[in-house]
Amino acid sequence: MLNLPTIIPVGPINYTVVLMPSLMTEEGKVAFGIQKPMEQELRINSTALEDAQRVTLFHEYLHAIDNLYDLELTEPQVTLLANIIMDTLTRMGRAPW
């Protein structure tokens, strides 16, 4: 069973992790996850496979870091970093969730 955290600190801000059965982007497309900085939420599509939810949460966490510290990462950079870091941590037996 998937055990995602309910709160993730991003710098001085605590983001709430919200599982939702259906997520849509502002463009009307189905999304795996969405970072909502004003609401301090990381929203994850609960209908996605568990492995996808894990990587998606890490992906949205990176967006929150990027937003807070104004790193100006592109979507492809966030995706690549999330996949590489989660793969490495998982293979080392240290996946965060």
Side-chain angles (χ1 to χ4, degrees), residues 3-96:
N3 189 22
L4 296 178
T6 55
I7 301 287
I8 296 180
V10 179
I13 301 168
N14 285 328
Y15 271 73
T16 302
V17 176
V18 180
L19 295 175
M20 302 179 81
S22 178
L23 283 180
M24 303 295 276
T25 66
E26 292 177 5
E27 296 81 26
K29 296 180 181 179
V30 175
F32 282 103
I34 299 173
Q35 183 241 169
K36 301 295 264 183
M38 297 305 289
E39 294 89 346
Q40 298 175 349
E41 291 181 347
L42 302 177
R43 297 178 183 176
I44 307 301
N45 190 328
S46 63
T47 63
L49 297 175
E50 288 186 1
D51 284 343
Q53 289 182 45
R54 286 185 186 96
V55 173
T56 299
L57 179 55
F58 200 80
H59 177 105
E60 298 308 325
Y61 173 68
L62 289 178
H63 275 303
I65 292 170
D66 178 42
N67 186 58
L68 179 64
Y69 295 105
D70 199 26
L71 301 174
E72 298 184 14
L73 296 172
T74 65
E75 185 66 21
Q77 288 172 324
V78 170
T79 299
L80 185 61
L81 284 170
N83 289 330
I84 290 170
I85 294 168
M86 279 298 290
D87 178 62
T88 300
L89 292 173
T90 300
R91 292 189 305 146
M92 292 174 59
R94 297 183 183 266

